[in-house]
Amino acid sequence: QVQLVESGGGLVQAGGSLRLSCAASGSIFSIDTMGWYRQAPGKQRELVAASTSGGSTNYADSVKGRFTISRDNAKNTVYLQMNSLKPEDTAVYYCNAILRKLSSRNSWSYWGQGTQVTVSS
């Protein structure tokens, strides 16, 4: 089994900061991409930021310059540092990992349970 456990969400005022963490555990052989998505009420889930095992990163235009994704490959953990938060960043944030299990030849996508981020104006 593979689990992604997120932490770090909460309530913050506009202009503030939060740091999300997501740790992957279980029978993992390798992890390719780890990333963060978010879903606001009434909206589709969207990519916020992603990081590949090769070190490439990708950000949504709306968070560029404010959010930073990083990884600790030794701990199978990905972080999202969120600065200068805005009310429109309010959403449930989901961790995603594309990884290969020990028992599999293929890579699959796994999701965390989500963590709420609320930014008050």
Side-chain angles (χ1 to χ4, degrees):
Q1 297 292 343
V2 171
Q3 278 191 314
L4 300 183
V5 179
E6 301 137 335
S7 61
L11 173 65
V12 65
Q13 287 189 331
S17 298
L18 283 174
R19 188 189 193 214
L20 305 183
S21 300
C22 171
S25 63
S27 304
I28 299 170
F29 177 76
S30 63
I31 302 178
D32 182 10
T33 303
M34 296 190 82
W36 293 92
Y37 289 71
R38 67 186 180 187
Q39 188 167 19
K43 294 190 177 181
Q44 288 189 329
R45 190 174 296 190
E46 63 174 0
L47 173 69
V48 177
S51 172
T52 70
S53 58
S56 298
T57 57
N58 184 36
Y59 294 92
D61 288 343
S62 59
V63 306
K64 283 180 181 176
R66 299 188 298 122
F67 291 10
T68 302
I69 189 170
S70 60
R71 283 171 67 163
D72 184 335
N73 291 324
K75 296 181 179 179
N76 289 340
T77 299
V78 64
Y79 306 96
L80 185 68
Q81 178 66 43
M82 305 185 292
N83 298 328
S84 301
L85 282 160
K86 304 175 181 180
E88 51 263 44
D89 294 318
T90 295
V92 177
Y93 283 69
Y94 296 91
C95 176
N96 175 264
I98 299 174
L99 60 85
R100 179 182 161 191
K101 292 174 62 176
L102 289 170
S103 58
S104 175
R105 287 180 150 184
N106 301 314
S107 294
W108 301 95
S109 179
Y110 292 84
W111 293 92
Q113 79 284 359
T115 185
Q116 177 70 46
V117 171
T118 302
V119 184
S120 63
S121 58

